[in-house]
Amino acid sequence: MTTNGTDTRDVTELTAAAAAAAPVLDARGRAFRARLLRAVAEAIEAHRDDIVTVADRETSIGATRLRGEHARTAYQARLFADVLDEGSYLEATIDHPTDTPMGPGPDLRRLLVPLGPVAVFGASNFPLAFSVPGGDTVSALAAGCPVVVKAHPSHPRTSRLTFDLLAGAARDVGAPEGTLGIVFGQRAGADLVADPRIRAVAFTGSLRGARALMDVIATRAEPIPFYGELSSLNPVVVTAGAAGRRGREIAEGLVASFTTSAGQLCTKPGLVLVPAGPDGDRLVAHAADLVGGAAPGTALNDGISTAYGTIGERLATSPGVSVLAEGVPVLAEGGPAEPERVVRPRLLSLPASELRPEVTEECFGPLAVIARYRDDDELRAAIDRLPASLTGTLHAEPEERDHVVELTDLLSARAGRVVFDGFPTGVLVSWAQTHGGPWPATTSPHTSVGPTAIRRFLRPVTWQNAPAYALPPELRDGAVDIPRRVDGRWQPPGQ
Amino acid sequence: MTTNGTDTRDVTELTAAAAAAAPVLDARGRAFRARLLRAVAEAIEAHRDDIVTVADRETSIGATRLRGEHARTAYQARLFADVLDEGSYLEATIDHPTDTPMGPGPDLRRLLVPLGPVAVFGASNFPLAFSVPGGDTVSALAAGCPVVVKAHPSHPRTSRLTFDLLAGAARDVGAPEGTLGIVFGQRAGADLVADPRIRAVAFTGSLRGARALMDVIATRAEPIPFYGELSSLNPVVVTAGAAGRRGREIAEGLVASFTTSAGQLCTKPGLVLVPAGPDGDRLVAHAADLVGGAAPGTALNDGISTAYGTIGERLATSPGVSVLAEGVPVLAEGGPAEPERVVRPRLLSLPASELRPEVTEECFGPLAVIARYRDDDELRAAIDRLPASLTGTLHAEPEERDHVVELTDLLSARAGRVVFDGFPTGVLVSWAQTHGGPWPATTSPHTSVGPTAIRRFLRPVTWQNAPAYALPPELRDGAVDIPRRVDGRWQPPGQ
């Protein structure tokens, strides 16, 4: 099982193989790629226990969450197979020749086609669902793009194991050589992004890592899309009504949400706007109690635990900030094998009027900042000063209707998903999901979760006055198994 | 009528007004914006003769083509109003709560929402259809984004006149202040792109101009999408069969296509692959005859005529290149008022084996290069060396079917539109159109023509477990007037 750094020559060989595979993978069609994705799901399912064991050893995430992530990863691959069968993602469009105010128009037929080889950067915090067998990989494969994954250094063995399973599934269904590749090491990642055969990059990770790769892309002769999911504060707003009616319940949900997975989730709620006054005080006191009794977690790697300590300390000692609670320092028996990676939950607080960039920095780990607002003007001004996020959450009561409408507008302007009376952790893979938001949440207006994530790896092509035999099958006259837009009108499959 | 350079403070005022208008324009809804776009079309139509006169004086494009462009511009605004009425561009999606292998899923509802204020850079060669009242402006307005246009210096008065008509239409229907703005001058353009309130840029122009603006974007704290339509060689492939059967007709179509509008079209065919041998010789000789008798055109501005001379001379004197024909130098009576802007058509030739980056540079103006290939291997290798384009064209005969399929694949890998047995100039505004291609044709996988151009200015937002009153109307339960995807299945309007 090799997980050593990949040298430049090997990266070039992999991308050359990917480029050779690209037209074949496209030409094999949707049914073939659906079969490939289902084979991927089966291979992952058949080795669940091995995968969970190896991933837990490397990441200390815990077998329970990893089993959930494993189920999600297989589910996701199957969902994308269904999306291929359904076929609307192709946006098949036919305009027959017609007279227009500008003269006679030609026969135009449009379809989305794959971009070509895609580089996927695995994330530290989801060794399965956002790594080798994850959403970026299966959405690129669904699109018809070969994938070269850059394994995350936090879990090289999990990456290798799952890669071998995916590559085996690809071989079994007869996918072309070069459909899947993997590289290890930071330099190989930079080589990959610089390689002219790579046509798009999907990345989940830090703002700093993303900036470094964007700098590499800027040196390319041909720029390519960089789809990054980067940094997110995920603010939670609690109204006066909600604090009064169910402050205790909100405190419990909040602490569970920001400490689960040791706070190492992209959607961890990092900032909570709570009203000043006794209802808010009670909510905050209960949250502090819970944090004070909370067990420590284990960071995914040394870099994260170090950064958690540094950023957490910077936040805690910022003017105006007070430390409300810290979790217990002692590990439970049978705790993590790597004590230097232990991270203690922390709850900080400051007046909302003092929110500023230094205290709205994302702190990856089990830390949340409570910001207390005195009135609605202060709340609005506070939201206005927050960086954009993947999510924005609102706890409110039905009688606050006008206020809710206004706050929803403020939050949806700064987030890709607005959560009502719940918590942002937990991202269902489904058609209506959005996992993306304005910068710095993501680099561009896209989602990296759900069927529409395929769109990142496609581009439109139009065939003008083409003979039927030169058209993709989905664009020929006669009945097809996908929906199409014909002369401006949507037509169901079978027409 | 002010067309002086806009100073930085005024740019800031315009973007601040646009930012204030953004939520209002969004909240007014689709029906209001459809009314706005129809009012825009009416205002343009009501002043056709004025617009054509001013535009012809500034650009020397000629009244006939400008009347066509004028009709297209009004048609385009109305088409986007129809797209708003139809509503599928919103990609409305509802997933009801359901049990999943990962546990119970929430209620998720997704819609595309506007990005915010958009900067639109007008093009030199389409003073209407790709300038102030053009496709970028109407697709951004349709999306719900206020627009600040940077007027092209080739036609400031046309820009001002059409801007005043658009602004008047916006006022008449009650659009918020700041829905439309205009700036003049290169520095104002850079200020605009650097302004934090601008959320996306649409640009049609040169690779050099685009690179300069992309450098400005790289200095922003928050990167934004830059949708540029830049440079395109638009190769034409003539097979042996087509050269033999209809070489004369192809020569005539080709010369008409690359000399129309003095060759100043993004889709001008700049490189033609013609077989060696007598059929190809006859085609080329007829094309040379036609070019030799062709009248000169007038460049849109001094910069273009200078660049046409410089680049054309560089191509003509490149090793292996011969000059087949040049158009007559004498202007017809009543010719253009600016003799220094006169550009003579030119036809060059070289062996396809000698194609290399120096001779595949786009030369904006009435120049085409014929590359002669000896066999199919040489043809394939030649296509492989071409930069990507907006279009690729193929002239072939039905009995060359296998060859056509192969060439179609080669061309569609390098272009956004593949034209069969025709010519690439003339871009119909319709649902199935693609005006975009891999770099350097465009900066990202998008089209700037047709209804799907709206997608550039939208981002997805998901509402999770939202009360009905906090949802956009299109996502509420009950019948709506747009199609939606509900629990994974497409539903027609009215359900």
Side-chain angles (χ1 to χ4, degrees):
Chain A
M1 195 187 258
T2 310
T3 59
N4 295 333
T6 311
D7 68 26
T8 302
R9 190 183 309 174
D10 290 341
V11 173
T12 306
E13 259 179 42
L14 286 169
T15 58
V24 184
L25 199 60
D26 181 21
R28 290 277 175 89
R30 294 180 293 123
F32 171 78
R33 296 199 300 276
R35 209 153 62 236
L36 167 62
L37 292 176
R38 292 189 178 109
V40 162
E42 279 165 32
I44 292 171
E45 280 171 343
H47 295 82
R48 184 181 83 159
D49 293 347
D50 285 358
I51 295 172
V52 167
T53 303
V54 174
D56 193 28
R57 202 177 301 141
E58 286 190 312
T59 64
S60 310
I61 283 174
T64 307
R65 208 212 82 184
L66 284 168
R67 274 193 292 271
E69 189 181 331
H70 175 271
R72 172 201 173 126
T73 305
Y75 175 84
Q76 184 164 255
R78 281 212 177 77
L79 176 62
F80 279 95
D82 295 345
V83 170
L84 283 169
D85 289 341
E86 197 258 359
S88 65
Y89 81 96
L90 288 169
E91 299 184 9
T93 310
I94 298 175
D95 288 333
H96 290 106
T98 180
D99 283 327
T100 79
M102 297 76 71
D107 183 281
L108 295 171
R109 295 174 189 236
R110 172 184 186 266
L111 201 74
L112 300 184
V113 304
L115 283 182
V118 170
V120 168
F121 282 70
S124 63
N125 58 345
F126 280 89
L128 308 173
F130 287 84
S131 287
V132 173
D136 287 334
T137 298
V138 297
S139 54
L141 289 177
C145 299
V147 171
V148 184
V149 186
K150 153 69 169 64
H152 196 282
S154 284
H155 47 77
R157 294 181 158 268
T158 311
S159 299
R160 170 54 73 181
L161 171 61
T162 50
F163 177 78
D164 289 345
L165 291 170
L166 262 62
R171 259 194 313 275
D172 289 349
V173 298
E177 277 290 328
T179 296
L180 285 159
I182 189 165
V183 303
F184 294 86
Q186 195 170 342
R187 169 147 159 223
D191 285 344
L192 196 57
V193 168
D195 191 294
R197 293 177 205 89
I198 293 295
R199 310 308 306 163
V201 180
F203 174 91
T204 307
S206 71
L207 199 51
R208 209 182 55 170
R211 284 280 195 194
L213 291 177
M214 290 164 86
D215 287 346
V216 175
I217 288 175
T219 67
R220 290 174 58 109
E222 303 188 0
I224 50 174
F226 178 80
Y227 296 106
E229 191 252 275
L230 310 180
S231 171
S232 188
L233 189 62
N234 304 302
V236 175
V237 175
V238 181
T239 63
R245 185 86 43 96
R246 50 193 168 88
R248 205 175 163 81
E249 181 194 329
I250 292 170
E252 283 158 15
L254 173 69
V255 174
S257 183
F258 88 78
T259 58
T260 188
S261 300
Q264 298 165 114
L265 299 176
C266 317
T267 54
K268 179 206 79 171
L271 184 93
V272 193
L273 287 150
V274 174
D279 289 334
D281 289 346
R282 273 188 293 273
L283 186 164
V284 172
H286 188 46
D289 277 352
L290 294 168
V291 170
T298 304
L300 294 155
N301 58 49
D302 294 349
I304 289 175
S305 63
T306 305
Y308 180 72
T310 311
I311 298 172
E313 209 42 42
R314 193 155 67 222
L315 295 176
T317 57
S318 272
V321 175
S322 53
V323 178
L324 294 180
E326 271 189 296
V328 293
V330 188
L331 283 176
E333 295 254 10
E338 317 220 25
E340 68 277 15
R341 289 211 233 140
V342 164
V343 286
R344 289 167 65 187
R346 294 183 101 176
L347 190 67
L348 312 182
S349 174
L350 87 169
S353 59
E354 299 200 32
L355 281 174
R356 53 194 192 278
E358 308 92 86
V359 293
T360 58
E361 184 181 359
E362 185 189 22
C363 180
F364 202 65
L367 180 149
V369 176
I370 307 255
R372 306 292 301 270
Y373 63 89
R374 280 169 302 190
D375 54 36
D376 291 344
D377 282 345
E378 208 170 85
L379 174 59
R380 274 187 291 266
I383 296 175
D384 219 33
R385 283 198 300 274
L386 299 181
S389 283
L390 293 166
T391 70
T393 297
L394 178 58
H395 284 270
E397 292 297 304
E399 59 270 23
E400 297 171 306
R401 186 170 167 148
D402 289 348
H403 195 35
V404 168
V405 169
E406 188 198 5
L407 291 170
T408 302
D409 285 348
L410 285 174
L411 291 174
S412 64
R414 285 159 190 81
R417 178 163 57 107
V418 185
V419 179
F420 292 80
D421 302 321
F423 293 92
T425 44
V427 182
L428 184 68
V429 182
S430 86
W431 283 93
Q433 187 59 273
T434 301
H435 189 66
W439 177 274
T442 50
T443 52
S444 76
H446 70 267
T447 178
S448 63
V449 172
T452 58
I454 296 183
R455 186 67 182 79
R456 296 174 294 168
F457 306 120
L458 297 165
R459 67 181 174 92
V461 169
T462 296
W463 288 259
Q464 177 172 325
N465 291 335
Y469 65 82
L471 284 168
E474 289 92 347
L475 289 181
R476 292 180 195 160
D477 286 336
V480 290
D481 61 351
I482 63 165
R484 303 193 288 200
R485 182 179 295 274
V486 179
D487 297 327
R489 285 173 197 284
W490 188 89
Q491 281 193 352
Q495 296 196 12
Chain B
M1 194 189 263
T2 308
T3 60
N4 295 333
T6 312
D7 68 27
T8 302
R9 190 184 309 174
D10 290 340
V11 173
T12 306
E13 258 179 41
L14 286 169
T15 59
V24 185
L25 198 59
D26 181 21
R28 291 277 176 90
R30 294 179 295 123
F32 171 78
R33 296 199 301 278
R35 208 152 65 237
L36 167 62
L37 292 177
R38 291 188 178 108
V40 161
E42 277 164 32
I44 292 171
E45 279 170 343
H47 294 82
R48 185 181 80 157
D49 293 347
D50 285 358
I51 294 171
V52 167
T53 303
V54 173
D56 193 29
R57 201 178 299 141
E58 287 189 311
T59 63
S60 310
I61 282 175
T64 306
R65 207 211 82 181
L66 284 168
R67 276 193 291 269
E69 189 180 330
H70 174 272
R72 172 201 174 126
T73 305
Y75 175 84
Q76 184 165 253
R78 281 210 178 78
L79 176 62
F80 279 95
D82 295 345
V83 169
L84 283 169
D85 289 342
E86 196 259 357
S88 66
Y89 81 96
L90 288 169
E91 300 184 7
T93 309
I94 298 175
D95 289 331
H96 291 106
T98 179
D99 282 326
T100 78
M102 296 78 70
D107 183 281
L108 295 171
R109 297 175 189 236
R110 173 184 185 265
L111 201 75
L112 301 183
V113 305
L115 283 183
V118 170
V120 168
F121 282 71
S124 63
N125 58 343
F126 281 89
L128 309 174
F130 288 84
S131 286
V132 173
D136 286 335
T137 299
V138 297
S139 52
L141 289 176
C145 299
V147 170
V148 184
V149 188
K150 153 70 170 61
H152 196 281
S154 283
H155 47 76
R157 291 180 160 269
T158 310
S159 299
R160 170 54 73 183
L161 171 60
T162 50
F163 177 79
D164 288 345
L165 292 170
L166 261 62
R171 258 193 315 275
D172 288 350
V173 298
E177 277 291 328
T179 297
L180 285 159
I182 189 166
V183 303
F184 294 86
Q186 194 170 341
R187 170 148 157 220
D191 286 343
L192 196 55
V193 167
D195 192 294
R197 292 178 205 88
I198 293 295
R199 309 309 306 164
V201 180
F203 174 90
T204 306
S206 70
L207 199 51
R208 209 182 55 172
R211 284 280 195 192
L213 291 177
M214 288 163 86
D215 287 346
V216 174
I217 288 176
T219 67
R220 291 173 59 108
E222 303 188 1
I224 51 172
F226 178 80
Y227 296 107
E229 193 253 273
L230 310 180
S231 170
S232 189
L233 190 62
N234 303 302
V236 176
V237 175
V238 181
T239 63
R245 185 86 43 97
R246 51 192 168 87
R248 204 176 163 81
E249 182 193 327
I250 292 170
E252 283 159 12
L254 173 70
V255 174
S257 183
F258 87 78
T259 59
T260 188
S261 298
Q264 298 165 115
L265 299 176
C266 316
T267 54
K268 179 206 78 170
L271 184 91
V272 193
L273 286 151
V274 174
D279 289 336
D281 290 347
R282 275 189 291 274
L283 185 164
V284 172
H286 188 48
D289 276 354
L290 294 168
V291 169
T298 305
L300 294 155
N301 59 49
D302 295 348
I304 289 174
S305 63
T306 304
Y308 180 71
T310 311
I311 298 172
E313 209 42 39
R314 193 155 67 220
L315 294 175
T317 57
S318 272
V321 175
S322 53
V323 178
L324 295 179
E326 272 190 296
V328 295
V330 189
L331 284 174
E333 295 253 12
E338 318 220 26
E340 69 277 13
R341 287 212 234 141
V342 164
V343 286
R344 289 167 67 187
R346 294 182 103 178
L347 190 66
L348 312 183
S349 174
L350 89 166
S353 58
E354 298 200 31
L355 281 174
R356 53 195 193 275
E358 308 93 85
V359 294
T360 58
E361 186 181 358
E362 185 188 22
C363 180
F364 203 64
L367 180 148
V369 176
I370 307 256
R372 306 294 299 271
Y373 63 91
R374 281 169 300 187
D375 54 36
D376 290 344
D377 283 345
E378 208 170 86
L379 174 59
R380 274 187 291 265
I383 296 174
D384 219 33
R385 284 198 299 274
L386 299 180
S389 282
L390 293 167
T391 70
T393 297
L394 178 58
H395 284 270
E397 293 297 303
E399 58 270 22
E400 297 172 306
R401 185 169 167 150
D402 289 348
H403 196 36
V404 168
V405 170
E406 189 199 2
L407 291 170
T408 302
D409 285 347
L410 286 173
L411 291 173
S412 64
R414 285 159 189 80
R417 178 164 55 106
V418 184
V419 179
F420 293 79
D421 303 322
F423 293 92
T425 45
V427 181
L428 184 68
V429 182
S430 86
W431 283 94
Q433 187 59 273
T434 301
H435 190 66
W439 178 273
T442 49
T443 52
S444 77
H446 70 268
T447 179
S448 63
V449 173
T452 57
I454 296 182
R455 185 67 183 81
R456 295 175 294 169
F457 307 121
L458 297 165
R459 67 180 173 93
V461 169
T462 295
W463 288 259
Q464 177 172 324
N465 291 336
Y469 65 81
L471 285 168
E474 290 91 346
L475 289 182
R476 292 179 196 160
D477 286 335
V480 290
D481 61 351
I482 63 165
R484 302 192 289 199
R485 181 179 296 274
V486 179
D487 298 326
R489 287 172 195 283
W490 190 88
Q491 281 193 353
Q495 295 196 12

